[in-house]
Amino acid sequence: MRTTRNISDLFQPLEDVLKSSLIPTVVSKHSTPEQRSSFALPARDGGLGIFDPTAIADDEYTRSTVATAPLSKAIHEQNITIEPEKVYTLAKELKSAKDCVVAAKRAAEKTAVANITAAMSKDEKRRHEELSSRGASTWITTLPLREHGFVLNKQEWWDAMALRYGFVLENVPHMCGCGKENTLEHSLTCANGGFVYLRHNHLRDLTANLLLEAGCGKNYFLSHSLFNHRRLR
């Protein structure tokens, strides 16, 4: 799309597959067509970076033309040798063109975010603000390194998407063991469910691993308590 103009309509079959197959499988089968534009936003803006090729094809061609204009001019001149001063000037022009493209792309993203949030409800806007806060979506673009615990299985990924966008959690009982309705908020705070202990244990294990990497393993260790829960000492 960066090398050929006016081909946005040719990407429609690809966009149809993204909407009918990829998004329901990777994100959630409960996603709505109205949320497609939200998924197209970058992760830092509360999206997933699943861009609509029909919407960005023409803009990508324009940006590519602007970014490569200095090189295109140098090629058209057909100079066998280039003076050092011109090489330096060409490098400055390329950097300036790249900066213009990045600024234009970011401005377009901000406009898209404004248009999408304008149609959201109050709760959706609050969720979007949380997703757009600094560092809230870095886990999406982080490399899935198993040694650091960054690998999610399918169920964990779908649960994460449900928490991120407010979808219905699959395979969750309607009633909690304590007798109350098993809503998302209740399942995360009820002492019977174990999530309170899991969050505590995750921070405990993370702290222990960081201490070991820092060379403090001799002074800190994990031991089993009477209730078979490990404690950091």
Side-chain angles (χ1 to χ4, degrees):
M1 63 179 67
R2 295 180 179 178
T3 59
T4 308
R5 69 176 70 187
N6 300 327
I7 58 171
S8 58
D9 56 326
L10 299 180
F11 288 100
Q12 188 58 50
L14 174 59
E15 171 61 15
D16 294 339
V17 173
L18 293 177
K19 291 191 296 185
S20 62
S21 181
L22 180 66
I23 291 177
T25 301
V26 175
V27 183
S28 173
K29 63 182 181 181
H30 300 288
S31 60
T32 62
E34 291 75 17
Q35 292 175 313
R36 174 66 182 96
S37 55
S38 297
F39 299 150
L41 295 175
R44 64 174 177 269
D45 291 326
L48 294 173
I50 306 178
F51 303 110
D52 181 355
T54 63
I56 67 172
D58 294 338
D59 291 337
E60 286 295 317
Y61 174 79
T62 301
R63 293 166 188 156
S64 177
T65 302
V66 173
T68 59
L71 283 178
S72 299
K73 180 181 178 182
I75 293 174
H76 290 160
E77 291 177 354
Q78 292 293 304
N79 291 328
I80 299 178
T81 59
I82 303 179
E83 298 177 359
E85 294 79 6
K86 290 187 177 181
V87 173
Y88 176 74
T89 302
L90 178 60
K92 289 184 61 178
E93 292 177 352
L94 287 172
K95 184 179 184 304
S96 177
K98 182 180 179 180
D99 293 341
C100 291
V101 169
V102 172
K105 186 174 182 178
R106 188 56 184 154
E109 291 172 352
K110 290 183 178 180
T111 301
V113 170
N115 294 336
I116 292 172
T117 54
M120 290 182 175
S121 63
K122 183 178 180 180
D123 292 340
E124 290 173 340
K125 287 182 179 179
R126 181 179 179 182
R127 180 183 296 112
H128 185 269
E129 290 177 359
E130 293 176 352
L131 299 180
S132 303
S133 60
R134 186 178 182 86
S137 300
T138 53
W139 66 274
I140 293 180
T141 56
T142 300
L143 292 176
L145 302 176
R146 188 176 300 277
E147 58 268 26
H148 294 294
F150 295 159
V151 177
L152 301 178
N153 58 41
K154 290 190 295 184
Q155 189 61 56
E156 290 172 338
W157 173 264
W158 289 330
D159 290 345
M161 288 293 101
L163 294 175
R164 182 175 174 84
Y165 293 109
F167 298 140
V168 177
L169 285 171
E170 299 289 343
N171 304 320
V172 176
H174 296 291
M175 299 300 296
C176 180
C178 67
K180 296 182 179 180
E181 184 180 358
N182 194 29
T183 62
L184 174 60
E185 292 77 10
H186 178 77
S187 64
L188 293 175
T189 57
C190 180
N192 292 341
F195 285 106
V196 176
Y197 298 105
L198 288 174
R199 292 197 297 272
H200 167 270
N201 293 346
H202 176 72
L203 292 175
R204 177 205 62 197
D205 294 343
L206 177 61
T207 303
N209 292 331
L210 292 176
L211 289 171
L212 290 174
E213 291 183 7
C216 301
K218 294 182 180 180
N219 299 324
Y220 296 89
F221 62 93
L222 292 170
S223 63
H224 289 275
S225 68
L226 295 176
F227 299 98
N228 200 27
H229 289 298
R230 295 190 301 171
R231 298 184 295 183
L232 179 64
R233 291 184 178 180

